[in-house]
Amino acid sequence: MVKMAEALERLQTLADSPIVQRVAAAFADAGHELALVGGPVRDAMLGRAVHDYDFTTDAHPDTILEIVTPISSAQWDIGREFGTIGARIVTGEGADALADTVEITTYRADAYDRETRKPLVAFGTVLDDDLKRRDFTVNAMALRVPDVTLVDPHGGVEDLLDATLRTPSSPEVSFGDDPLRMLRAARFASQLGFHVADEVQDAMQEMAPSIRIVSAERVQSELAKLLCTDAPSDGIRLLVDTGLAELVLPEVPALRLETDEHHHHKDVYEHSLTVLDQAIGHEKRRHPGEQPDLILRLAALLHDIGKPATRRLEPGGAVSFYHHDVVGSKLAKKRLKALRFDKETITSVARLIELHLRFFGYSEGAWTDSAVRRYVRDAGDLLERLHMLTRADVTTRNKRKADRLAFAYDDLEKRIDELKEQEELEAVRPELDGNRIQEVLGVGPGPEVGRAYKWLLELRLDEGTLGEDEAERRLTEWWSSRGQ
């Protein structure tokens, strides 16, 4: 619960920070208004760390640049068209000097093209008009500096105290201006732990189809930000419940498989959200304080999306999902491409989904060393993520089963570590390279060299380190047995 007196005290501390003081003094000396706006004001009041210094002013971009240049070590105007100037502000001197990045934007009074939803940029002269065009009331508060006055024309403080997301204007107008704000509502609900007001949820459901006009890149960015919050499941539930997920990530609501009185299986949708939560828990325990792992989180959310297409009702009431790992991998690749994710993310997520069932064969019977080597080889640099995903995929309420699976995976990781020490497992390759294969077999470059290399690699995985002489002998035998 946010206490107002403490929130105001934190705002004063923010206003007194050296970077805010320096920027505020420069604009005051130039005769222009300046206010911290949006995220830093909200986060300071909530007691959250402030990482972004976003300011707004009545000064136009050229003037902003003139004011900040003397107090900054670098400036950039990539957002000049929209009134934004960035700068790296220096505070302190000598060894005590610090530099922080700020963004300063001219008051906006935009109108929107209702067909493309692109803003027709218009600079304003009044702070209240700028705040009215923002997405949610808790982001529509400003702190004037250097005189330290809180400006809150839309009841953002009350909504902050109530932990509620509302829009400054009606949600229909706000989402009509920019439909992406509907996804942003889900992100802030997860990021802040806030409840989305009923009228906002109703508008999200009614206006969901308008999300189709938003570019895939913007949708992707917002989904990624949602998944990188501490509790993304809350926001995902909101997207599913309002019908937005059906339009931007339809594979997730499709996980809500129907059951009948004769065939029963676990709720795949709820299971997937639990796996996501548990994967985040493993991630934080293994890498405390590090940036969220988007690849792991996408894989956790999407790991079972192949189940709807592979669901089979078996005799006796059983339900099977044969090959849902392979099907899910292909579906994930297709969806992530459509959302314009980068190639590395797409490839990594698809590979993790393809591999996520592999361990359960280990839990049913001890693997040979060669099977462990293949597990490591196939995972490659995704091995640790695969560890976390596989552990997170255990959601059974049967404690005995959960303990058995956890013990089995502990054992697998121990064996991997032991083999790594013995064999430098990450760099497993045959003792003979392509050039040596050609010399031993007396052949030139061509597909036969590739086949021989692959055969030697399988031999290496099966039997471990052989030594170069033994590898040459075995290669010659294999070559002769093929009638070459």
Side-chain angles (χ1 to χ4, degrees):
M1 175 65 72
V2 178
K3 295 181 179 179
M4 190 61 189
E6 294 176 357
L8 293 176
E9 186 176 324
R10 288 191 288 265
L11 282 182
Q12 183 65 57
T13 300
L14 175 64
D16 289 340
S17 66
I19 184 171
V20 174
Q21 287 283 304
R22 184 152 203 206
V23 177
F27 276 79
D29 290 346
H32 285 283
E33 297 178 5
L34 186 73
L36 281 158
V37 68
V41 178
R42 178 200 69 220
D43 288 344
M45 295 187 75
L46 289 172
R48 296 166 60 94
V50 174
H51 299 292
D52 301 314
Y53 293 92
D54 296 326
F55 294 90
T56 187
T57 178
D58 61 343
H60 282 211
D62 289 344
T63 304
I64 295 173
L65 196 56
E66 290 177 6
I67 294 172
V68 300
T69 295
I71 62 171
S72 59
S73 59
Q75 311 83 35
W76 51 95
D77 61 357
I78 193 170
R80 183 193 289 259
E81 178 185 355
F82 299 99
T84 300
I85 299 295
R88 193 159 181 79
I89 305 297
V90 180
T91 56
E93 296 180 358
D96 297 325
L98 297 173
D100 288 285
T101 299
V102 304
E103 286 192 352
I104 306 167
T105 303
T106 306
Y107 295 156
R108 296 267 290 274
D110 298 345
Y112 281 81
D113 175 348
R114 289 288 171 152
E115 293 188 8
T116 65
R117 263 58 178 191
K118 290 183 178 179
L120 305 175
V121 178
F123 297 143
T125 57
V126 181
L127 177 58
D128 281 12
D129 290 345
D130 179 271
L131 297 178
K132 184 177 181 180
R133 55 170 286 278
R134 294 180 179 265
D135 51 8
F136 300 104
T137 59
V138 295
N139 296 331
M141 298 182 291
L143 184 68
R144 288 189 184 275
V145 287
D147 57 350
V148 193
T149 303
L150 181 63
V151 181
D152 178 27
H154 304 290
V157 170
E158 288 80 0
D159 288 337
L160 197 75
L161 296 174
D162 291 338
T164 300
L165 281 179
R166 301 183 193 278
T167 52
S169 53
S170 75
E172 291 78 11
V173 169
S174 182
F175 297 155
D177 285 347
D178 186 357
L180 189 70
R181 289 173 175 174
M182 295 185 288
L183 298 189
R184 212 171 282 153
R187 192 239 299 182
F188 283 124
S190 288
Q191 179 180 320
L192 304 175
F194 279 19
H195 164 72
V196 178
D198 291 343
E199 69 272 15
V200 175
Q201 291 195 47
D202 291 343
M204 290 170 67
Q205 188 164 2
E206 179 183 344
M207 301 180 69
S210 65
I211 198 67
R212 291 192 179 101
I213 68 170
V214 178
S215 70
E217 289 82 1
R218 294 184 73 209
V219 170
Q220 175 246 98
S221 176
E222 202 57 51
L223 288 175
K225 290 176 183 176
L226 165 59
L227 281 171
C228 288
T229 63
D230 286 339
S233 293
D234 294 339
I236 292 165
R237 290 182 195 280
L238 180 61
L239 295 182
V240 171
D241 292 345
T242 56
L244 279 157
E246 187 69 42
L247 300 166
V248 299
L249 201 59
E251 293 78 8
V252 172
L255 294 171
R256 297 181 297 181
L257 301 178
E258 295 181 3
T259 59
D260 60 40
E261 58 181 322
H262 302 295
H263 294 82
H264 299 283
H265 56 79
K266 73 172 70 174
D267 185 327
V268 183
Y269 171 64
E270 289 297 333
H271 164 75
S272 297
L273 294 182
T274 300
V275 172
L276 173 59
D277 292 338
Q278 293 187 166
I280 292 172
H282 287 298
E283 174 192 327
K284 290 182 176 179
R285 283 189 291 274
R286 286 183 181 242
H287 302 286
E290 293 189 14
Q291 292 298 310
D293 188 339
L294 178 61
I295 289 173
L296 174 64
R297 296 178 184 206
L298 280 168
L301 177 63
L302 304 178
H303 77 285
D304 272 349
I305 60 173
K307 281 190 170 180
T310 58
R311 180 172 178 252
R312 298 290 181 272
L313 305 180
E314 307 288 356
V319 181
S320 66
F321 303 97
Y322 294 123
H323 305 303
H324 76 268
D325 46 348
V326 177
V327 173
S329 177
K330 293 177 180 178
L331 289 173
K333 186 176 293 186
K334 183 177 180 181
R335 176 56 53 196
L336 297 179
K337 280 184 178 178
L339 287 169
R340 304 291 194 271
F341 277 93
D342 62 274
K343 185 176 180 180
E344 180 185 355
T345 298
I346 295 170
T347 302
S348 297
V349 171
R351 187 61 169 157
L352 285 169
I353 293 173
E354 183 182 354
L355 294 173
H356 83 274
L357 290 181
R358 184 77 66 86
F359 157 74
F360 293 98
Y362 185 90
S363 67
E364 294 165 4
W367 282 356
T368 62
D369 285 351
S370 64
V372 175
R373 293 187 192 100
R374 282 185 169 82
Y375 188 76
V376 174
R377 179 197 65 179
D378 292 346
D381 59 6
L382 296 172
L383 181 62
E384 187 180 20
R385 286 185 173 119
L386 185 57
H387 289 334
M388 292 188 280
L389 175 60
T390 302
R391 288 182 180 275
D393 197 21
V394 178
T395 62
T396 179
R397 295 181 181 178
N398 183 323
K399 188 175 186 305
R400 176 179 290 182
K401 182 179 180 181
D403 288 346
R404 176 175 62 81
L405 290 169
F407 175 80
Y409 210 92
D410 288 343
D411 184 64
L412 175 58
E413 287 203 67
K414 180 181 177 183
R415 287 185 65 192
I416 289 172
D417 289 340
E418 290 172 349
L419 284 171
K420 280 181 180 179
E421 289 182 10
Q422 297 168 13
E423 306 178 7
E424 298 182 357
L425 200 52
E426 291 98 335
V428 169
R429 55 178 56 87
E431 278 88 351
L432 310 182
D433 62 15
N435 291 330
R436 185 58 185 149
I437 290 171
Q438 292 178 56
E439 292 174 4
V440 172
L441 300 182
V443 299
E448 289 295 347
V449 177
R451 294 188 187 99
Y453 186 92
K454 184 176 181 180
W455 182 84
L456 284 170
L457 178 58
E458 293 297 318
L459 183 66
R460 171 76 171 79
L461 290 167
D462 283 336
E463 300 186 23
T465 304
L466 297 172
E468 190 170 332
D469 291 343
E470 178 64 10
E472 289 181 8
R473 187 185 70 79
R474 299 282 285 276
L475 175 62
T476 303
E477 286 182 356
W478 170 79
W479 185 252
S480 297
S481 70
R482 298 177 72 240
Q484 301 295 334

